[in-house]
Amino acid sequence: MKKDIHPDYHMITVKMTDGTTFQMRSTWGKEGDTLALEVDPGVHPAWTGGGTRLMDTGGRVSKFKKKYEGLGF
């Protein structure tokens, strides 16, 4: 490997949206910095699967379901 081309890999503190913190190694920031997350992967629907349903009256979702209703969607 070439020398002096890799970023510094150090310990930082990650602060979740609920206030909990943990230590991890990262190339972000400087040694000892705190990264405050704006989106918490522990509660955000993108990571948890979400509990919301698609509400669509005669739009794209309904059209898709009607087109592919025989395939078990």
Side-chain angles (χ1 to χ4, degrees), residues 42-64:
V43 297
H44 194 276
W47 287 277
T48 62
T52 60
R53 298 190 143 196
L54 292 173
M55 300 302 278
D56 186 26
T57 55
R60 293 181 181 185
V61 174
S62 299
K63 189 175 181 181
F64 177 84

Side-chain angles (χ1 to χ4, degrees), residues 1-67:
M1 281 207 276
K2 293 182 180 180
K3 295 183 185 255
D4 301 326
I5 64 167
H6 300 285
D8 180 36
Y9 196 57
H10 49 270
M11 294 299 288
I12 64 167
T13 302
V14 177
K15 183 178 180 184
M16 306 295 269
T17 56
D18 65 356
T20 58
T21 61
F22 63 93
Q23 296 284 318
M24 70 179 297
R25 292 181 57 85
S26 175
T27 58
W28 180 86
K30 296 178 284 210
E31 178 80 29
D33 282 353
T34 299
L35 173 64
L37 296 181
E38 295 176 10
V39 177
D40 190 343
V43 297
H44 194 276
W47 287 277
T48 62
T52 60
R53 298 190 143 196
L54 292 173
M55 300 302 278
D56 186 26
T57 55
R60 293 181 181 185
V61 174
S62 299
K63 189 175 181 181
F64 177 84
K65 285 183 178 181
K66 183 176 180 183
K67 185 176 180 180

